[in-house]
Amino acid sequence: QVQLQESGPGLVKPSQTLSLTCAVGGGSMRGSWYAWGWIRQPPEKGLEWMGMIGSDGETYYSPSLERRIVISMDTSKNQFSLQLDSVTPEDTAVYYCAAVGSTWEINFWGQGTQVTVSS
């Protein structure tokens, strides 16, 4: 069983960088067959897949975000991170981290964290 916990600021100013971290429990990320992803849900909208990083460090990003997004991982801390640059109020959402299976299914979810972009 994998446990995931997001952390980071709940409020970010426009044009700044949104940074979130997901702590992974229940096993080591090193050599895991899971990939590690980020999904978000803006208010009154559906889920949006943002991107993920494989255990080999290879990243896959949504084309709509690839110019602004970086996903990285630190296996020594058993965590992975999201950076989203140049945020606008449209980036306001609940952000979830997830463990992604080999066919891109979400096997485990974090509880989600609200991030609001506002001055």
Side-chain angles (χ1 to χ4, degrees):
Q1 190 82 358
V2 175
Q3 298 90 40
L4 303 167
Q5 180 64 60
E6 305 91 348
S7 62
L11 180 65
V12 183
K13 294 185 186 303
S15 81
Q16 293 188 343
T17 296
L18 181 162
S19 297
L20 296 174
T21 297
C22 183
V24 179
S28 174
M29 293 178 67
R30 196 186 307 274
S32 172
W33 62 277
Y34 289 117
W36 309 98
W38 289 95
I39 300 106
R40 67 181 179 179
Q41 185 168 27
E44 301 181 4
K45 294 185 179 180
L47 294 168
E48 177 186 10
W49 181 81
M50 302 180 69
M52 66 183 185
I53 185 167
S55 59
D56 59 357
E58 188 166 1
T59 52
Y60 307 85
Y61 298 137
S62 168
S64 65
L65 296 172
E66 62 183 353
R67 292 184 179 182
R68 300 195 290 134
I69 189 174
V70 175
I71 296 175
S72 59
M73 65 180 180
D74 186 341
T75 56
S76 68
K77 296 181 179 179
N78 228 42
Q79 64 186 33
F80 62 105
S81 300
L82 167 71
Q83 282 189 200
L84 187 65
D85 296 329
S86 304
V87 296
T88 72
E90 280 85 36
D91 294 309
T92 294
V94 177
Y95 285 75
Y96 298 92
C97 60
V100 184
S102 58
T103 54
W104 292 43
E105 76 280 11
I106 306 298
N107 288 113
F108 298 98
W109 293 82
Q111 65 180 28
T113 187
Q114 173 70 46
V115 179
T116 300
V117 179
S118 175
S119 56

